[in-house]
Amino acid sequence: KRAEFEQLVHEHLPDVLRLARKWTGCPEIAEEVAQTSLLHASRGWRSFRGDSQFKTWMFRVVINVHRDRLRSTRCEHLPLPSEVIDHRHSDPCAESVEHELGDLIASCISRLPTRQQEVLVLSTYEGLNATEIAATLEITKANVHATLHVARERMRELLQPYFAESN
């Protein structure tokens, strides 16, 4: 059973680090969150019944560790990183625009309430479906859909001034 845990951790460690980095916006803090999450997961491994995928269970651990960290630092949220857009080409001008857009989107996401941030990031950047998000956050699928809708509407409002056509 321990070998199975180690294999699953090895498989999902990049996902865990990526998610921690999205929440914290800082590689050093992300590593701390990931390490603490792995420690918690190791201690709680026997409680994993397989009712959900290991990835969603592990994401729940990461999110809980991140929430605990926010409470202990008395912050409502930490800024999300600006690397929200993939850089698929080497055009410096386009990369600069993408970096600015990434910073803008990250700033807007960080202004959302925590639950909306969680649902939006898990859906948009981690590619989890409503069932997986519900399992990860321990909420209903209906709540996921409603929260995602509200988060997208709020993002639309926050980003609208930057994309409105000038006359």
Side-chain angles (χ1 to χ4, degrees):
K1 188 113 175 168
R2 191 70 183 168
E4 179 186 4
F5 175 74
E6 290 175 7
Q7 175 61 34
L8 288 167
V9 165
H10 181 71
E11 250 177 70
H12 296 286
L13 186 57
D15 298 326
V16 166
L17 285 167
R18 186 180 60 248
L19 182 63
R21 178 105 192 252
K22 283 188 175 114
W23 292 131
T24 64
C26 172
E28 294 81 18
I29 296 172
E31 285 182 20
E32 178 187 316
V33 167
Q35 286 177 353
T36 303
S37 299
L38 292 172
L39 180 62
H40 287 218
S42 175
R43 289 178 180 158
W45 171 240
R46 290 189 179 128
S47 70
F48 179 67
R49 298 182 312 268
D51 295 340
S52 63
Q53 298 174 16
F54 180 80
K55 181 178 178 178
T56 58
W57 180 76
M58 195 64 223
F59 277 7
R60 184 178 326 133
V61 174
V62 172
I63 289 167
N64 287 336
V65 167
H66 177 67
R67 286 176 183 166
D68 291 345
R69 187 174 190 290
L70 291 178
R71 277 191 290 274
S72 71
T73 59
R74 294 191 175 125
C75 294
E76 184 175 320
H77 56 74
L78 295 174
L80 293 169
S82 61
E83 299 92 22
V84 294
I85 296 180
D86 292 332
H87 301 284
R88 297 180 194 263
H89 46 74
S90 60
D91 177 2
C93 184
E95 283 186 26
S96 176
V97 169
E98 285 179 355
H99 185 73
E100 283 185 42
L101 183 57
D103 285 345
L104 174 63
I105 292 170
S107 172
C108 290
I109 291 172
S110 72
R111 292 167 54 192
L112 296 174
T114 303
R115 178 54 51 97
Q116 290 178 23
Q117 287 181 29
E118 292 168 351
V119 171
L120 185 67
V121 168
L122 290 172
S123 172
T124 306
Y125 300 111
E126 292 302 324
L128 271 59
N129 63 38
T131 302
E132 294 167 326
I133 294 169
T136 300
L137 299 177
E138 298 179 314
I139 60 177
T140 65
K141 279 178 48 176
N143 193 318
V144 169
H145 289 295
T147 303
L148 187 57
H149 175 75
V150 171
R152 286 177 174 161
E153 286 299 312
R154 182 70 180 129
M155 287 295 292
R156 195 170 289 125
E157 290 171 15
L158 292 170
L159 291 168
Q160 193 274 332
Y162 300 97
F163 295 101
E165 290 186 32
S166 56
N167 294 332

